Amino acid sequence: SIAEYGSSGINAEYGGAFRKSLWLEHLGELCEEYENPGSIECMRKVNEVARSNWEKFVADDYEEPMMGHLVTYPISVGQDGSVESLEGWENFPDTEAPVVGGKSGVLVEKLTT
């Protein structure tokens, strides 16, 4: 970890290169906002790209390609932690699989809810 080995030198160099390769793979671009992954600007940019990709993914007409392949998950999370599917997206596109799911008769509740 950076805490163990410090934030400079070979570990930071390879850690930064790895992070950038992930940004490029999942978001389709490298931009200034990604330089500080803990920043609100980075979070906003990632959410913007993911939201745009979701809109393109579910669009009836495929006009513009997605940037990378990261999409938002079609849910909303309430302040009390409750999870609901977005209106109109009770199931994933092209499937009958529910977005929110349900309780399992086999797995413990903490794993399935």
Side-chain angles (χ1 to χ4, degrees):
S1 78
I2 289 180
E4 269 182 68
Y5 299 104
S7 60
S8 60
I10 197 163
N11 292 315
E13 180 181 334
Y14 287 119
F18 179 70
R19 177 174 35 86
K20 287 179 181 180
S21 71
L22 289 176
W23 290 132
L24 185 58
E25 172 65 24
H26 295 293
L27 298 166
E29 68 177 349
L30 290 176
C31 64
E32 188 177 315
E33 290 88 349
Y34 303 152
E35 290 298 318
N36 184 1
S39 71
I40 192 77
E41 293 81 13
C42 181
M43 180 195 70
R44 286 182 179 142
K45 181 65 175 178
V46 169
N47 284 336
E48 173 189 320
V49 172
R51 229 179 338 271
S52 174
N53 282 344
W54 172 257
E55 290 169 5
K56 292 172 186 175
F57 180 69
V58 299
D60 290 331
D61 53 338
Y62 188 78
E63 302 242 345
E64 191 179 329
M66 295 191 321
M67 290 184 62
H69 53 262
L70 183 73
V71 297
T72 55
Y73 205 78
I75 60 169
S76 64
V77 180
Q79 288 189 345
D80 63 352
S82 60
V83 177
E84 297 178 357
S85 60
L86 294 180
E87 187 175 329
W89 295 108
E90 290 72 26
N91 296 323
F92 285 102
D94 299 330
T95 74
E96 294 300 316
V99 167
V100 175
K103 294 183 181 185
S104 168
V106 179
L107 300 172
V108 297
E109 191 172 314
K110 285 189 178 223
L111 294 176
T112 60
T113 58

